[in-house]
Amino acid sequence: MSTPTPPRVVVLGGGSAGWITACLLHREWGTRGGSVTVVESPEIGIIGVGEGSTPQLKAFFDHLGIAEAEWMAACDATFKLGIRFTGWSEQAGCESYFHPFPGPVDLHTEPQFLRNCALRRRGVDVPAHPDDWFLAETLAEARKAPQPNDNFPFAPSYGYHFDAHRLGGFLREWAVARDVVHAQLRVVDVEIDVEGNVAALLCEGGERIEGDLFVDCSGFRSIIAQQKLGVRFLPFADNLFNDRAVVMPTAHRQPIKPQTDSIAMAAGWRWSIPLTSRVGNGYVYSSKYISDEEAEAELRAAIGMVDEGDARFLQMRVGRVEDSWTRNCLAVGLSQGFIEPLEATALHIVIATALDFAKAYEGGGFSAQHRETFNRRIAAKYEGIRDYIVAHYRLNQRSDAQYWRDNAANHALSDNLKAMMTAWFTHEDITQLNNQQHDGAPHYATMSWHCLFAGYGTFPPQAKMQPPPPGLAAGDPQAVRAMLAACATNFPDYAPA
């Protein structure tokens, strides 16, 4: 029996999503007879809403064998150990908390944090703030690079900040040098055959680009999946209120910390992302609660750019398509869906989609055999990530603006999120429930859920707290802090060029 031949892949649209997908599919099939062509109009720019990532981006570059020194320098990239959330809670002592990427050292400290959270949920007055327990927070606060000296064997997990335009350009050059075809053409129509599959992209000037498999990376327009094949879009507007963003860069005013800052605003939140060449700033907000002009003024005041610099506005279509894989089309990136950039998951989903699809498609003999299973997995990933982000808003501890009060009163929650919240407040086992909901592979680790709940201070009121009884086995944050500080001495100071 002959081995099936890998497909001719045609990717519509470049940018980070298009070129990441092209690189991954070329690596899977390029040496076995498959081909990848990226059709990209030079007139269409990159939205680049987010300039942060999860550790999945590191795994992507490692998968391709691209050295950090090579791509980071080309993309103004810096390290990211996690996200600091500031102003999301009015609870005393919880004005700010750090959500770290978990690493091997945390295996020794996380159980103490979870133990203290369980006690405090029951009204025992023990320390349970997330900042006391994890190496990533210690390194970020001390402005340390996440690469230890040779004598320290435990490297933390980390992501990156990067210039989205430069990242797309770097991946394009890397892919083209390895025989991925780059066709700079404007697509005017999509040809559908008699069976309802995509046959070709029809381009300005009469050029026709045929393929076996088409990847729609055309952004929010979703030219193939939604416009031509009629794939249904499922909005998340009831769950996530934000639909707009205003962005402005600023110059560096202080040394770089390897973290993203997420700072609550009147009708949303703003990010501060340090690149080597600048700081990226953006205010994500709901147009129902604030006008574009008011949002711009609030952002300018916050970053000290009242009378200088140009602001850029972006519209966000938050939600996902019903099926990411329809007929012979795979939707990836913004054409597939978008969950606001609060946890920087956009490229995480792109990479996961491309890798999971390649496995499913080839596993079925380059057929649609595993399409339904694949679509269920990707949909579950979107839903799981959405739930965690919705929880940031639903659990907020602010009362100073209608936006925050309405989010705290929002009941458009999934059953899974309702169950997680109920479990927390009724002292149930969060770890067990998290694993049950996601078949042992949750989208966010138990540690992340605990950081969110505890970081907001969602415990019984301090007046109802009881002192710990004698002999209680509770975690000691001072001892943990001392241990983490000792670990941090094995990491160099972070001073990106």
Side-chain angles (χ1 to χ4, degrees):
M1 181 180 294
S2 61
T3 303
T5 302
R8 297 170 298 164
V9 180
V10 178
V11 181
L12 172 57
S16 299
W19 288 108
I20 283 174
T21 306
C23 289
L24 289 173
L25 296 186
H26 174 75
R27 185 188 184 282
E28 295 298 317
W29 301 325
T31 60
R32 293 186 283 143
S35 67
V36 179
T37 298
V38 179
V39 181
E40 181 180 32
S41 172
E43 302 169 0
I44 299 175
I46 300 170
I47 287 182
V49 170
E51 294 176 323
S53 79
T54 69
Q56 184 86 336
L57 189 60
K58 182 181 188 306
F60 163 77
F61 280 110
D62 290 346
H63 186 67
L64 296 183
I66 301 175
E68 275 185 349
E70 179 183 359
W71 83 265
M72 288 185 71
C75 300
D76 291 350
T78 62
F79 293 120
K80 173 185 173 183
L81 284 159
I83 306 172
R84 177 158 293 283
F85 290 87
T86 301
W88 292 69
S89 175
E90 297 171 346
Q91 297 290 331
C94 295
E95 296 83 2
S96 173
Y97 79 94
F98 192 85
H99 178 203
F101 297 129
V105 170
D106 303 325
L107 295 175
H108 302 280
T109 61
E110 179 183 343
Q112 298 182 61
F113 170 56
L114 268 56
R115 167 68 173 163
N116 279 25
C117 284
L119 290 169
R120 195 166 184 86
R121 286 159 62 193
R122 289 173 167 81
V124 180
D125 193 7
V126 295
H129 192 283
D131 288 7
D132 294 327
W133 309 94
F134 300 104
L135 179 60
E137 191 277 340
T138 300
L139 295 176
E141 194 63 27
R143 295 187 170 91
K144 296 285 188 177
Q147 297 167 318
N149 302 327
D150 292 340
N151 62 343
F152 191 77
F154 305 113
S157 181
Y158 60 89
Y160 308 97
H161 308 116
F162 54 88
D163 184 304
H165 293 269
R166 290 179 179 268
L167 179 65
F170 176 88
L171 293 175
R172 180 182 63 240
E173 292 180 9
W174 188 91
V176 169
R178 288 156 182 80
D179 299 324
V180 171
V181 176
H182 182 209
Q184 297 190 64
L185 299 166
R186 191 173 77 86
V187 173
V188 296
D189 201 0
V190 178
E191 181 182 323
I192 305 297
D193 66 20
V194 294
E195 296 180 350
N197 293 312
V198 182
L201 302 182
L202 306 180
C203 305
E204 199 172 59
E207 189 152 359
R208 184 173 179 272
I209 309 294
E210 295 183 350
D212 304 310
L213 172 69
F214 291 80
V215 181
D216 188 346
C217 293
S218 62
F220 285 129
R221 296 173 301 153
S222 193
I223 291 171
I224 305 177
Q226 294 181 52
Q227 290 190 33
K228 204 68 180 182
L229 296 180
V231 179
R232 192 158 64 107
F233 183 79
L234 306 177
F236 291 164
D238 289 342
N239 314 111
L240 295 167
F241 298 169
N242 296 337
D243 59 356
R244 302 278 286 170
V246 54
V247 298
M248 290 185 69
T250 54
H252 285 288
R253 295 168 184 164
Q254 57 187 6
I256 288 175
K257 283 185 179 181
Q259 68 184 39
T260 297
D261 280 288
S262 171
I263 304 158
M265 303 281 276
W269 62 277
R270 68 178 174 93
W271 73 74
S272 176
I273 291 179
L275 307 184
T276 58
S277 59
R278 62 181 171 87
V279 178
N281 305 283
Y283 180 5
V284 179
Y285 60 94
S286 169
S287 60
K288 177 182 175 181
Y289 295 87
I290 193 171
S291 69
D292 291 348
E293 294 75 18
E294 291 169 330
E296 179 182 350
E298 190 182 357
L299 176 63
R300 286 181 177 278
I303 63 177
M305 296 283 286
V306 176
D307 297 317
E308 55 185 312
D310 294 326
R312 187 162 63 106
F313 289 90
L314 305 170
Q315 294 187 17
M316 302 188 305
R317 191 180 184 213
V318 178
R320 66 169 177 88
V321 291
E322 188 170 27
D323 293 318
S324 294
W325 178 5
T326 304
R327 293 192 174 273
N328 64 335
C329 171
L330 175 69
V332 180
L334 298 179
S335 67
Q336 175 190 22
F338 182 67
I339 304 174
E340 67 158 85
L342 185 61
E343 288 282 346
T345 55
L347 295 190
H348 182 106
I349 296 175
V350 167
I351 295 165
T353 296
L355 289 174
D356 196 3
F357 172 79
K359 183 178 180 180
Y361 193 49
E362 184 169 353
F366 299 108
S367 76
Q369 178 182 345
H370 301 307
R371 184 165 58 198
E372 290 186 9
T373 301
F374 166 84
N375 281 332
R376 283 197 299 270
R377 282 199 300 265
I378 296 301
K381 183 174 291 292
Y382 266 99
E383 303 291 323
I385 293 172
R386 180 204 61 191
D387 284 350
Y388 186 69
I389 293 176
V390 169
H392 288 72
Y393 295 99
R394 179 62 175 79
L395 295 166
N396 88 81
Q397 302 291 302
R398 293 178 62 115
S399 59
D400 60 331
Q402 193 63 44
Y403 170 88
W404 294 104
R405 292 192 293 271
D406 287 352
N407 268 288
N410 184 21
H411 296 293
L413 311 176
S414 73
D415 290 341
N416 279 355
L417 179 52
K418 290 177 182 176
M420 288 294 286
M421 292 170 58
T422 299
W424 177 268
F425 291 111
T426 57
H427 319 144
E428 296 175 27
D429 188 331
I430 295 293
T431 302
Q432 183 180 33
L433 177 60
N434 198 26
N435 287 325
Q436 286 176 351
Q437 288 183 347
H438 304 289
D439 298 324
H443 306 292
Y444 279 91
T446 296
M447 177 272 285
S448 294
W449 282 100
H450 278 77
C451 284
L452 173 55
F453 281 105
Y456 283 171
T458 53
F459 297 111
Q462 185 62 40
K464 294 185 177 182
M465 288 289 174
Q466 300 295 318
L472 179 71
D476 182 353
Q478 291 184 338
V480 170
R481 274 286 192 186
M483 184 272 287
L484 296 176
C487 290
T489 63
N490 295 282
F491 292 78
D493 293 338
Y494 187 41

